[in-house]
Amino acid sequence: MVKKQFKAESKRLLDLMINSIYTHKEIFLRELISNASDAIDKLYYKALTDNSLGFDQAKCEIKISFDKDTRMLKVSDTGIGMTQEELEGNLGVIAKSGSLNFKKENEQQDGYEIIGQFGVGFYSAFMVADVVTVISRALGSEEAYRWESQGVEGYTIEPCTKETVGTEVILQIKENTEDENYDQFLDEFNLRTLIKKHSDFIRCPIKMNVTKTEQKPKEEGAEQQFEYYTEEEIINSMVPIWKKNKNELTAEDYEKFYAEKHYGFDKPLKYAHVNAEGTVSYRAIIFIPEKMPYDFYTKEYEKGLELYSNGVLIMNKCAELVPDYFSFVKGVVDSEDLSLNISREMLQHDRQLKIIAKNIKSKIKSELENLLKNEREKYVEFFEVFGRQLKYGVYSDFGSNKEVLQDLLMFYSSKEKKPVTLAEYVARMPEEQKYIYYASGESVERIEKLPQTELVADKGYEILYFTDDVDEFAIKMLMAYKEKEFKSVSSGDLGLAKEGEEDKAAETEEQQGNKELFAYMTSVLTDKVQAVKASQRLKSHPVCLSSGGEISIEMEKVLNAMPYNNQKVKADKVLEINVNHAVYQALQDAFAQDKDKLKLYTELLYNQALLIEGLPLDDPVEFTNNICKIMR
């Protein structure tokens, strides 16, 4: 037995492999299983051109075994094995990949793919092991060889015996330290979890002896006894659901997969199975959940789809695959065309990923459109849960996504008494109607009582009710839909022209005739309103507030309710008085006879308008005292 040194500046390079490339130590098991899978695939390729090999795919397997007492973990396979020269060439030269060379020398056939390409995954074993031993017997050879290394100091190779073709990788697991728990890699449950997490869809069976429990017959008066034994079990699923034909699968299969992946405790509202071929080929299954995750609007929530490369998990949550406004979507993407970095934990560059993400985004949108068109009730159910997220998508990124999302939006309709789309609203608009009218408030019930809706409703125009805090912000970013601008019923100018010259003249005379009255009332409400004026929108109510400028009254409420907002936002408010209401005559009388009473009336009407809008009173005590004055 001769000890040899690693080639190619071994100490520094191997130290880099062990300590710097991989983020999580658990990755070593994924790498060793992937190498074992490659070895079996290589044997399969050889058998395609050499019938004399007698290849039996049913006998292909990877075995995981461990011994807590000796701290031994073994990964063995029935693959092609390695000669002495291959052991030296593949394991003695860091970053030389036998799998990559094999891929270059052999054309891919029958949909199989060799996973390894960098030749560094094997060295991840040194992250958890003091000693790594490889025993291998190559196809067509009667001899076997043992390769062994303790890390950067080098390795040894010597002849040994092995009854079957294949490779065993034996790790002497490190002792625990204050910072690291290496016992976890000798624990049955944890090993099983890691195999399911990273290697569940390796194409050949991964077997491990697992502990089983059996109840013994219970004798009268005695405690229940249990018998424990071990049994070999296949841990991985092998064929992922996304690689099966759609016509082989039922809705129950997709729901079972959804549950197994712990995407949620609900059932998927809708799912889509994608098999795309082109510049970048990939398979995917995407789910639209029925219910919102409990942590959806918290910083702990992580968006993203599971990303696989040839059935091997690369990223548990690949955020780049879905935009924020579709962050509720769950699922998996598997592609053979991804350019991975050396550790296979992240992407080397994102050109392929951007193509996949663009296609996934389009697919999600089309699925939602189909749901809206063909299963309206289900879409309304979906929108009640996730509609706010779509509205945030319209508002965010300076409205760059509004074209994608505008046809998916829904708002409650004053006419239909249910949620409608913008397209449906516009289709029903009378020819003379210029704007899409909306009213904002905390609930449908409160909006229906708003005085500002009277004139628009009397015209027979439909009003959209905005009850989410993001609604007006989204609409401000949307600006228009199919060339129809949005107009709040609280806007200073409703765009409802008077029918004749007589009406216009009466409106001007009304305002001018009360100029001094309204000027006095405005002076009473200094810094609270921009003006007091005769209302053209009120029918039965005595007073209301309207707004001008970019900030509406509802937006003022939302912005001032935000935490850490030290600067109070104010909308430009106008107090509107109904000159056809009995209150107006009381204002005129007070203006002529008692200015103190007019001041009292003005403050009461202003506070009344604030209450109608759901705004806080500046001084509730003063308001109640003023009511008492009126009563006296």
Side-chain angles (χ1 to χ4, degrees), residues 29 32-33 62-66 73-76 185 191-192 195 206-209 232 235:
L29 190 59
L32 295 183
I33 291 174
I62 299 170
K63 283 191 176 181
I64 310 293
S65 57
F66 64 96
L73 174 66
K74 183 194 294 185
V75 179
S76 58
F185 304 120
L191 289 172
R192 184 189 188 105
I195 293 167
I206 302 172
K207 297 180 179 179
M208 188 170 80
N209 284 333
E232 191 172 75
I235 306 299

Side-chain angles (χ1 to χ4, degrees), residues 600-616:
L600 179 64
Y601 288 169
T602 301
E603 289 172 347
L604 279 171
L605 287 171
Y606 172 70
N607 283 319
Q608 182 182 345
L610 289 178
L611 289 173
I612 290 170
E613 291 294 338
L615 289 168

Side-chain angles (χ1 to χ4, degrees), residues 437-439 450-459 487-496 498 507 510 533-548 553 572-580 613:
Y437 289 102
Y438 68 87
L450 284 178
Q452 293 91 327
T453 62
E454 285 187 309
L455 182 59
V456 177
D458 281 355
K459 282 280 188 180
K487 179 76 73 172
S488 170
V489 295
S490 297
S491 174
D493 177 16
L494 289 175
L496 298 172
K498 289 290 184 178
E507 179 183 342
E510 219 167 53
K533 72 173 189 177
S535 178
Q536 302 303 316
R537 75 184 80 226
L538 294 174
K539 295 292 183 180
S540 60
H541 295 272
V543 68
C544 75
L545 287 173
S546 61
S547 60
I553 294 171
D572 296 333
K573 302 182 187 73
V574 174
L575 186 67
E576 296 194 8
I577 306 297
N578 184 356
V579 296
N580 297 312
E613 291 294 338

Side-chain angles (χ1 to χ4, degrees), residues 270 368-377:
K270 186 138 181 97
L368 290 175
E369 287 175 333
N370 288 337
L371 196 66
L372 174 60
K373 181 180 178 181
N374 302 317
E375 298 178 84
R376 177 69 174 232
E377 289 184 8

